[in-house]
C-alpha cells in the first residue's frame, strides 16, 4: 500500500533558513510542501524518505533566496489495484459504505460491490448483508460504523482540483476529493473481519453481530 | 469535522515525478521510518503541522495492523522461504502486510490460486506465516 516515489523539484530556500545545513532546510521545506497532500497520479504523500541528489544552488537577481534542484524519494500511499486492505467503516449511505484508513478517508464501496444480497436499513443507517441460511431463512449481518472491514481495491481516480486560496482565507471551492479509491467486498473472505473469524464457529460469530 | 479539514488540506500539486513507483514499502518499514521521524521532530521542538498530522494518523493506523509484532529479520526469513512458490512481488507484500491464516485469505491474495498452488502448498504457506509472522496472541 505504501510505495517510494522518486521526484525532483527546485527548492527555494529563503535567507532565514541559511543558518541550517542545506539538507536540513530541504527536508523541512519538502515536508512542508508535500506532507499530507495528494500529488496528481502519484498518491497521498506521507513523509520524505531520502534525498538522492542535490544540484547546484543558484541566486537570481532581486531575490536573496537560493534555488536548488533536488531529486528525492518520498513515501507515498498508493495501493495497487486488486490489493487487499483493512480499514474501518466510517459511515453508510445510499451510495454504499464509506471506509477510512485514519489517514485517508476517500474510500467508497459502492452498492453493486457489496455482498449479495444486501439491503440498506434506514432506521440504523447501515447496510445489511442478508446471508442465506440452509433452511431458506435469512441471517442479517449488519455493517456498523467503526467495524474493521477487509476490502479489495477495484479502481482509483485522481481528479484535478482548483487551487485553494491563501492560508487563513475561508474558501469553499474544494468539493470533490482529489484522490479516491473504489473498493469491493463481493467475494468470499471480504467484508467485516468478524464475519470470517473462526470459520468452524461461524454461527456464534453471527449471533454476536446481531446483539 | 476533522475529515473535512483533511480533505481541504489535500490539494493538488502538479509535480515533476521521475518514477512514481520506485519501490514498495511494507507496513513495518513505514512504521519504523515514521516513528523515528516522530521522535526526531519532538526533540527539535519544531513540528510542521501537516507532517505531524499525517505521521500521527498513519502511525495510529499502522499500530492496529499486524506490523507491530513483526521485525525485519523474520520478514526477511519469510520472504526467503516464499521464493519457491513463484508468487508476484505484490502478492508477497500483501502477505507481509496482512498475513493470511486461512485458505480463504490465500485465495483472496493470490490470483487464480487454485491453478498456481496445490493444496499442500497452501498449507505450507499458512505454516510459514504462523512461524515467521505470528499473530499477537500467539506470542504470549
Amino acid at each position: 500500500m505504501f510505495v517510494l516515489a522518486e521526484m525532483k523539484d527546485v527548492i527555494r530556500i529563503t535567507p532565514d533558513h541559511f543558518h541550517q545545513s542545506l539538507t536540513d532546510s530541504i527536508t523541512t521545506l519538502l515536508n512542508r510542501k508535500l506532507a499530507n497532500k495528494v500529488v496528481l497520479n502519484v498518491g497521498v504523500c506521507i513523509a520524505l524518505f531520502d534525498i538522492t541528489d542535490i544540484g547546484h544552488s543558484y541566486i537570481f537577481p532581486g531575490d536573496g533566496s537560493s534555488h536548488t534542484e533536488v531529486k528525492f524519494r518520498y513515501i507515498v500511499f498508493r495501493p495497487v489495484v486488486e490489493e487487499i486492505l483493512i480499514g474501518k467503516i466510517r459511515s453508510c449511505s445510499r451510495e454504499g459504505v464509506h471506509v477510512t484508513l485514519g489517514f485517508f478517508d476517500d474510500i467508497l464501496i459502492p452498492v453493486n460491490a457489496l455482498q449479495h444480497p444486501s439491503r440498506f436499513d434506514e432506521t440504523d443507517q447501515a447496510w445489511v448483508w442478508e446471508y442465506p441460511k440452509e433452511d431458506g431463512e435469512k441471517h442479517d449481518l449488519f455493517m456498523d460504523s467503526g467495524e474493521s472491514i477487509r476490502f479489495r481495491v477495484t479502481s482509483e481516480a485522481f481528479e484535478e482540483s482548483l487551487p485553494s486560496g491563501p492560508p487563513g482565507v475561508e474558501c469553499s471551492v474544494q468539493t470533490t476529493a482529489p484522490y479516491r479509491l473504489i473498493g469491493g467486498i463481493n467475494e468470499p473472505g471480504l467484508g467485516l473481519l468478524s464475519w470470517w473469524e473462526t470459520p468452524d464457529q461461524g454461527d456464534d460469530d453471527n449471533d454476536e453481530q446481531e446483539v | 469535522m476533522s475529515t473535512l479539514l483533511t480533505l481541504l488540506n489535500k490539494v493538488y500539486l502538479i509535480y515533476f515525478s521521475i518514477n512514481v513507483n520506485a519501490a514498495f514499502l511494507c507496513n513495518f518499514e513505514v512504521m519504523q521510518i515514521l516513528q523515528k521521524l516522530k521522535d526526531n521532530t519532538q526533540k527539535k521542538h519544531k513540528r510542521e503541522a501537516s507532517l505531524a498530522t499525517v505521521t500521527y494518523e498513519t502511525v495510529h493506523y499502522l499500530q492496529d495492523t499486524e506490523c507491530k509484532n513483526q521485525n525485519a529479520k523474520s520478514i526477511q526469513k519469510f520472504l526467503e522461504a516464499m521464493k519457491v512458490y513463484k508468487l508476484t512481488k505484490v502478492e508477497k507484500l500483501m502477505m507481509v502486510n496482512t498475513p493470511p491464516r486461512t485458505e480463504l485469505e490465500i485465495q483472496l491474495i493470490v490470483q487464480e490460486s487454485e491453478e498456481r498452488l496445490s493444496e499442500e502448498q497452501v498449507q505450507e504457506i499458512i505454516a510459514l506465516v504462523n512461524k515467521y509472522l505470528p499473530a499477537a496472541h500467539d506470542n504470549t
Side-chain angles (χ1 to χ4, degrees):
Chain A
M1 61 195 271
F2 295 102
V3 295
L4 280 184
E6 279 182 69
M7 297 190 261
K8 64 175 178 187
D9 192 17
V10 176
I11 294 293
R12 177 175 178 260
I13 301 164
T14 49
D16 57 311
H17 286 97
F18 283 174
H19 66 283
Q20 289 177 324
S21 75
L22 189 59
T23 334
D24 277 355
S25 19
I26 289 173
T27 309
T28 318
L29 290 169
L30 278 177
N31 277 333
R32 186 179 299 167
K33 190 169 183 177
L34 286 174
N36 210 13
K37 302 245 176 23
V38 171
V39 176
L40 188 66
N41 296 332
V42 175
V44 186
C45 293
I46 309 287
L48 183 72
F49 184 76
D50 63 357
I51 300 167
T52 46
D53 183 53
I54 299 179
H56 291 292
S57 298
Y58 294 96
I59 300 170
F60 298 122
D63 185 359
S65 315
S66 79
H67 299 253
T68 314
E69 193 184 298
V70 283
K71 288 181 182 157
F72 56 95
R73 293 192 288 177
Y74 220 86
I75 304 172
V76 169
F77 170 72
R78 176 88 185 269
V80 190
V81 171
E82 297 288 295
E83 191 171 338
I84 308 279
L85 295 180
I86 296 175
K88 282 203 164 70
I89 297 179
R90 185 157 59 98
S91 62
C92 290
S93 72
R94 285 233 151 260
E95 288 166 42
V97 179
H98 302 268
V99 179
T100 174
L101 296 181
F103 58 97
F104 183 74
D105 294 328
D106 301 308
I107 306 170
L108 174 72
I109 300 169
V111 179
N112 57 15
L114 295 174
Q115 294 277 14
H116 191 78
S118 289
R119 70 177 154 85
F120 188 63
D121 192 308
E122 288 287 351
T123 42
D124 284 321
Q125 289 293 305
W127 280 93
V128 183
W129 179 22
E130 297 172 322
Y131 183 79
K133 278 202 281 194
E134 280 132 34
D135 51 7
E137 274 179 58
K138 282 180 294 184
H139 204 102
D140 284 354
L141 297 172
F142 280 82
M143 300 176 69
D144 296 316
S145 351
E147 296 269 9
S148 290
I149 185 169
R150 189 197 300 269
F151 60 97
R152 188 188 288 285
V153 178
T154 50
S155 69
E156 53 179 9
F158 283 96
E159 217 155 299
E160 216 165 326
S161 56
L162 295 165
S164 56
V169 177
E170 205 61 49
C171 77
S172 51
V173 235
Q174 186 106 14
T175 43
T176 51
Y179 178 46
R180 278 176 305 142
L181 291 176
I182 306 293
I185 53 165
N186 48 356
E187 281 173 68
L190 296 181
L192 297 200
L193 296 190
S194 50
W195 292 351
W196 304 99
E197 273 166 8
T198 50
D200 37 12
Q201 298 158 13
D203 277 345
D204 299 345
D205 262 25
N206 296 347
D207 290 337
E208 279 167 36
Q209 280 289 305
E210 278 187 332
V211 177
Chain B
M1 192 59 208
S2 69
T3 54
L4 191 79
L5 274 175
T6 47
L7 204 143
L8 284 171
N9 272 330
K10 284 170 187 171
V11 283
Y12 255 103
L13 288 163
I14 297 179
Y15 234 68
F16 291 116
S17 50
I18 309 170
N19 187 352
V20 172
N21 196 341
F24 287 108
L25 290 173
C26 73
N27 287 357
F28 172 74
E29 289 170 295
V30 176
M31 176 90 161
Q32 277 208 315
I33 298 164
L34 293 186
Q35 258 169 351
K36 212 185 275 171
L37 196 80
K38 235 170 127 184
D39 297 342
N40 281 348
T41 39
Q42 265 164 354
K43 265 180 225 152
K44 284 185 190 164
H45 297 290
K46 249 194 326 187
R47 308 205 69 189
E48 295 291 333
S50 57
L51 180 68
T53 316
V54 78
T55 38
Y56 172 79
E57 286 174 344
T58 313
V59 168
H60 194 78
Y61 170 75
L62 290 175
Q63 264 166 354
D64 287 342
T65 66
E66 300 228 9
C67 74
K68 64 170 193 298
N69 314 315
Q70 296 174 349
N71 62 65
K73 222 180 211 171
S74 62
I75 291 175
Q76 205 180 343
K77 276 188 188 156
F78 173 71
L79 290 176
E80 215 119 297
M82 290 304 290
K83 272 184 185 162
V84 288
Y85 302 107
K86 298 201 173 65
L87 298 174
T88 65
K89 216 174 178 178
V90 180
E91 285 164 349
K92 283 186 275 191
L93 177 74
M94 276 196 260
M95 284 196 183
V96 173
N97 285 345
T98 51
R101 311 209 181 275
T102 58
E103 289 161 46
L104 196 64
E105 283 170 81
I106 290 189
Q107 276 171 28
L108 282 173
I109 292 173
V110 183
Q111 304 260 313
E112 281 145 21
S113 62
E114 282 99 338
E115 286 156 39
R116 290 169 55 200
L117 296 171
S118 69
E119 211 144 288
E120 295 88 59
Q121 282 176 320
V122 171
Q123 292 305 328
E124 280 165 31
I125 294 175
I126 294 174
L128 285 173
V129 167
N130 285 330
K131 184 178 170 195
Y132 292 117
L133 312 168
H137 52 266
D138 290 346
N139 265 348
T140 47

